[in-house]
């Protein structure tokens, strides 16, 4: 589908506008190797970072050579461990490593920096170290805007106490084709919550193709659009799907359940008994739940000057109120949420940047962010996590009905020069949903191709 | 000058592009009343917010009527205290208040929301309260994009323990014409650090015209551009200026010092003895310093793939290294920084969003943000604060040499549809620089007209 979109975008409009060709993004296909070529792995600062060795081992386990410096060959990825960078000299050393390396990055290449939390860096190296840690944020967001041909750049910030294993699932995600539309992002990783799976499982190639095997995943709004893609993608990765949507979704909900081999639950998530009914279904039919995806959402756009109470209330009830009620129930005694449970909420770029005509929607989606951050410690107490994805411009039935200029604008104002696909959102949810992702909690990750729109 | 720019922008290009007229922003002129009309002051949630009463008193002291709900008359401002909003019902009540109110907001009108810290709200009202507190972020950023005719919308988030007086200087700034180009911003206020000035001084109309009277302010990079405007603006507000620039700036530095009635110090701030020389000048010639403005900065743009060590190092040394060294010296024993001292750093939108061709500049400006956050508690220990402004597109000699399309693009992609002026950056620095602004510490405020560009 991406090839179709890319070729469409390469004709007509794009050429008239004189804009550069739209790169075709490499996306995950079952059976494809995780890495498409050699990966440069290096570190700068102190005695070297504490993650480079594990990253190098991961690359070799996945059948690709590790190189220490840029040479003649095209690189699949460049990973620079700056977790011990504390001085401007360390930062300069990173630039010297990166400049020749980015020249060699291939199509859909991956630049990944690993940094320290500024507050941790301050403890060991003072204000200069905190500044250097934060400088990586400006560096990675800038270079992400410079890379071409579908290459991305992201930053994983690791807390002082986190062991190398904490970042495994994130390194895997960012180096792989699963992160095709995640660009210019900064993710914070801490010591994993709860019990990590045995490494043997992680190293098993089959485990990588079906990382959600044995896990029960509920997806709200699963009848169509992004929700249907989430259900399909999580099922592809081994999860048992519980597809939820309003009764009016009818056959499309049944289709999702049948396609994924899961169960369907017709439910108005804003009903007073919705959380009860959902949790009862999960307990009775599936014996529990491992992954809850709060995807259902609606828009009722109107300028604030013309906003009506019913439009405001409907959007807040579906997009935020229902998530709050279900999360409350998940945290209550007797909840079916199992150890290594994962809650993933769908926020939106509008919840971060705001959007004209969407005070209600943006308030609800910002509210989701506030909820995720507030509840992260509560879920951690149960050995679980809660995170959010914030999609940017994603190609759906909804965007297909936009006026052409609006649609083309939305597609183009990001570093990858195209809209994302529903599967891109789904892949990020799958990453958060893995049992190995216990180091990620309270995080908000945009799936937006590094949209220029921000706050 | 703004009128000239606005009229230029209203001809030619703008009309060809079919874009709306550029609003003329009301800016501060000495002698003008602070408020241009009635202000709606209201609150929603709980027993009402704890700040509305103080805001109403402030409006009346400044000679304008306070109204409780939107009527027929044009409003200068709308202030809604949501510090006690904890539920979706409270948020809906806010929408019901705001919808008729924004219709009545006049040209260069001011919408100001006052909210709680999500973490504090969580303590008293659980996840729903945290979500509601964060929802204000999405709401204010959206409505800021909807307002027209130079009206702005901003959010002041107040910590649970902060007394009403903590937000006085921020309410004053955001309601006044001094904040003309600050839009869509979220500022966090806590209990004030150090000793606040006597209220009598604050209420004195002369004190408002010269809020920096008796304070010594050093400005680096003061010979030209934004730095010269900072010096002029702080001098207008009563400060004694110490103008610093490189020896090569020559007569222009002397001009700034003479124009403002201050002293000039020729200094390469990257020299090993620069901090020593600066602090000695401040102690010997002025007996101390109250306000340090780290404005000096350079660009050496190049794609990372073509970056050279000298370009990287020069930018990091001037924009970040020099600030680090001077701040170190300010925090050391025997420092001339006085009680209620204020350090204000100039970061950049590029340090938040990244920018193509500016990995070095963006790293340095992100580094400034890391430094500010890390040092805020250290300065607080001395009764002082450190904050940063992050300018967006500001009309300077530098932007005047940009290609026309780039310049027009930069001017237009913000909610106020124009570039800012150097004085807009200077006014924000003056706000942070006031003795009354002890509740602001570790803050980064963009002066960007709510540029769409973000992270």
């Amino acid at each position: 589908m991406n090839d179709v979109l890319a070729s469409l975008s390469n004709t007509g409009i794009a050429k008239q506008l004189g804009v550069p060709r739209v790169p075709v993004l490499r996306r995950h296909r079952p059976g494809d190797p995780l890495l498409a070529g050699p990966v440069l792995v290096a570190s700068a600062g102190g005695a070297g970072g504490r993650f480079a060795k594990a990253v190098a081992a991961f690359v070799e386990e996945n059948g690709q050579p590790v190189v220490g410096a840029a040479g003649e060959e095209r690189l699949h990825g460049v990973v620079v461990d700056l977790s011990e960078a504390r001085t401007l000299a360390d930062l300069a050393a990173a630039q010297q490593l990166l400049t020749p390396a980015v020249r060699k990055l291939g199509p859909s290449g991956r630049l990944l920096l690993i940094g320290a939390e500024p507050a941790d860096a301050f403890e060991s190296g003072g204000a200069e170290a905190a500044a250097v840690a934060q400088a990586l944020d400006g560096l990675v967001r800038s270079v992400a805007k410079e890379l071409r041909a579908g290459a991305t750049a992201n930053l994983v910030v690791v807390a002082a106490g986190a062991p190398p294993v904490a970042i495994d699932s994130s390194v895997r995600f960012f180096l792989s084709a699963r992160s095709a539309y995640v660009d210019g992002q900064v993710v914070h990783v801490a010591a994993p919550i709860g019990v990590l799976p045995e490494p043997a499982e992680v190293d098993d190639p089959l485990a990588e193709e079906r990382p959600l095997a044995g896990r029960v995943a509920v997806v709200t709004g699963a009848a169509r659009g992004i929700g249907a893609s989430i259900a399909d993608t999580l099922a592809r990765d081994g999860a048992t799907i519980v597809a939820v949507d309003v009764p009016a979704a009818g056959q499309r909900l049944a289709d999702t359940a049948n396609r994924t081999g899961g169960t369907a639950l017709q439910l108005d998530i804003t009903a007073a008994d919705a959380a009860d009914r959902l949790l009862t279904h999960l307990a009775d039919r599936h014996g529990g739940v491992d992954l809850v995806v709060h995807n259902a959402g609606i828009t009722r756009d109107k300028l604030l000057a013309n906003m009506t109470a019913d439009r405001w209330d409907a959007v807040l009830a579906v997009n935020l109120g229902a998530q709050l009620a279900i999360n409350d129930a998940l945290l209550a005694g007797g909840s079916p949420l199992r150890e290594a449970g994962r809650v993933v909420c769908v926020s939106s770029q509008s919840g971060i940047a705001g959007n004209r005509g969407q005070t209600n929607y943006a308030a609800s989606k910002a509210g989701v962010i506030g909820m995720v951050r507030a509840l992260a410690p509560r879920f951690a107490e149960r050995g679980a996590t809660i995170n959010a994805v914030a999609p940017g411009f994603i190609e759906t039935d909804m965007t297909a009905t936009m006026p052409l200029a609006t649609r083309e604008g939305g597609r183009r104002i990001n570093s990858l020069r195209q809209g994302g696909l529903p599967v891109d959102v789904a892949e990020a949810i799958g990453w958060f949903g893995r049992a190995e992702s216990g180091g990620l909690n309270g995080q908000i990750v945009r799936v937006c191709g590094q949209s220029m729109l921000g706050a």
Side-chain angles (χ1 to χ4, degrees), chain A:
Chain A
M1 181 175 178
N2 184 46
D3 296 16
V4 175
L5 290 170
S7 68
L8 277 176
S9 299
N10 282 335
T11 59
I13 300 285
K15 284 193 180 150
Q16 284 168 38
L17 293 171
V19 293
R21 284 177 64 87
V22 173
V24 175
L25 307 184
R26 195 167 72 96
R27 288 190 168 89
H28 178 71
R29 291 183 308 187
D32 278 1
L34 194 110
L35 307 173
V39 177
L40 187 156
V41 182
S43 64
R50 65 191 195 280
F51 301 99
K53 199 174 145 189
V55 173
F58 165 80
V59 170
E60 284 169 353
E61 281 161 22
N62 281 277
Q64 290 293 346
V66 172
V67 300
E72 289 307 306
E73 54 196 342
R74 278 248 176 253
L75 298 170
H76 167 85
V78 173
V79 182
V80 184
D81 182 351
L82 297 164
S83 58
E84 298 297 328
R86 296 290 180 271
T87 66
L88 291 176
D90 295 341
L91 192 61
Q95 177 263 313
Q96 290 294 302
L97 270 167
L98 285 166
T99 288
V102 294
R103 288 187 204 133
K104 291 296 166 190
L105 211 52
S108 291
R110 296 287 182 259
L111 175 59
L112 183 63
L113 300 187
I114 301 170
E117 289 287 354
D120 294 335
F122 180 72
E123 289 302 316
S124 60
E128 181 171 353
V132 165
Q134 185 72 30
L136 302 184
D137 189 293
L139 169 58
V140 85
R141 291 185 201 269
S142 297
V143 68
K145 292 182 176 181
E146 298 179 0
L147 296 177
R148 289 293 172 257
T152 64
N154 293 282
L155 169 62
V156 171
V157 177
V158 196
V165 71
I167 68 167
D168 273 6
S169 76
S170 299
V171 168
R172 193 175 283 270
F173 177 70
F174 282 116
L175 286 185
S176 78
R178 293 180 191 264
S179 63
Y181 202 64
V182 180
D183 193 13
Q185 294 301 296
V186 179
V187 181
H188 298 256
V189 181
I193 286 152
V195 181
L196 281 186
E198 290 297 308
E201 290 180 43
V202 179
D203 291 343
D204 175 0
L206 278 182
E208 179 50 26
E209 283 298 342
R210 295 177 62 80
L212 302 177
R215 287 168 80 75
V216 173
V218 57
V219 182
T220 65
R224 53 192 293 167
I226 293 174
S229 178
I230 295 167
D232 290 346
T233 304
L234 301 181
R236 179 204 68 190
D237 284 357
T240 300
I241 302 299
V242 181
V244 177
D245 216 313
V246 288
Q251 188 56 41
R252 294 189 69 151
L253 176 62
D255 291 346
T256 297
N258 293 337
R259 205 168 56 238
T260 60
T263 63
L265 176 64
Q266 288 193 351
L267 185 69
D268 170 2
I269 55 170
T270 64
D273 65 346
D276 263 1
R277 284 189 54 206
L278 175 61
L279 269 57
T280 301
H281 178 93
L282 292 169
D284 292 355
R285 294 286 299 275
H286 300 275
V289 65
D290 303 283
L291 172 52
V292 177
V293 183
H294 290 295
N295 164 73
I298 62 170
T299 56
R300 295 286 184 274
D301 294 358
K302 203 61 121 170
L303 293 179
L304 181 59
N306 304 321
M307 185 63 67
T308 56
D310 62 322
R311 282 171 179 267
W312 183 273
D313 294 343
V315 167
L316 272 291
V318 175
N319 298 6
L320 179 55
Q323 295 196 20
L324 283 163
I326 293 169
N327 288 339
D328 251 8
L330 289 170
L331 286 166
S335 154
L337 187 68
R338 288 194 279 246
E339 177 78 25
R342 305 280 175 253
V343 179
V344 186
C345 305
V346 178
S347 176
S348 166
Q349 183 175 294
S350 290
I352 297 170
N355 200 12
R356 184 163 189 276
Q358 293 200 315
T359 49
N360 49 358
Y361 186 75
S364 73
K365 294 300 193 176
V368 167
I369 293 173
M371 174 189 69
V372 165
R373 291 179 180 153
L375 289 181
R378 299 285 310 280
F379 278 100
E381 286 165 13
R382 296 182 51 101
T385 65
I386 181 168
N387 294 284
V389 295
F393 185 95
I394 304 294
E395 305 279 355
T396 61
D397 290 352
M398 192 180 79
T399 58
T401 63
M402 284 180 176
L404 182 68
T406 307
R407 191 166 71 240
E408 274 302 311
R411 281 176 178 155
R412 293 320 180 102
I413 50 167
N414 61 71
S415 296
L416 299 173
R417 300 197 210 98
Q418 60 195 292
L421 300 182
V423 70
D424 298 325
V425 178
E427 298 280 18
I429 291 170
W431 160 48
F432 281 131
R434 294 179 68 144
E436 297 86 351
S437 292
L440 299 162
N441 196 20
Q443 296 301 300
I444 317 299
V445 171
R446 287 168 60 149
V447 182
C448 66
Q450 196 184 31
S451 165
M452 290 180 192
L453 301 183

